[in-house]
Amino acid sequence: MGKRLWVERNKDGSWDAFSDDGAHIKFGKDRGQFTPGDLMKIALAGCAALSSQFAIEHTLGEGKGARIVVDGTYDADNDAYINFNEQVVVDASDAGLSDEDADKLKERITRHIDKGCTVKHTYVQETPVRMEVTIKH
């Protein structure tokens, strides 16, 4: 089992997500709040960021990273995303990489994300969701 997470509703209609280890994020459907669909995209981008971090820092230096942009195609008829598009952009302009070194870095980043991104692995396969509803009264 993974980390235990839960969400609770706030009086203003927003929601807070918590984890056993103290993580917290606010979300909802109002302006300035991440929606659950946004959080899916953030999970994909965040996973790629963490998965690619070693390859990027190894080549460009500690503290360097990528800017990862994720969008998706939403199918309103089925209320589901039918795909996600992920762009990984690494600013190596001050590193003096040759074309060959840039290609090698691109390949390493791709390999690291393909191997280590659990969210991507989950999204590309059918993932059953079991749900149980409990009413306390």
Side-chain angles (χ1 to χ4, degrees), residues 41 44 70-75 80-85:
K41 294 178 216 173
L44 185 59
V70 175
D71 62 15
T73 304
Y74 178 72
D75 175 3
Y81 284 93
I82 58 174
N83 64 47
F84 293 103
N85 301 303

Side-chain angles (χ1 to χ4, degrees), residues 131-135:
M131 182 178 75
E132 177 182 319
V133 176
T134 302
I135 308 296

Side-chain angles (χ1 to χ4, degrees), residues 48-68 88-92 94-95 97 101 104-106 108-110 112-113:
L50 294 176
S51 297
S52 66
Q53 182 176 340
F54 176 80
I56 294 168
E57 286 188 330
H58 179 60
T59 302
L60 302 179
E62 190 172 331
K64 298 292 184 176
R67 180 174 194 265
I68 301 165
V88 180
V89 179
V90 178
D91 184 355
D94 60 352
L97 298 180
D101 288 339
K104 285 181 183 177
L105 179 57
K106 181 179 177 177
R108 285 189 73 208
I109 291 169
T110 301
H112 279 257
I113 293 171

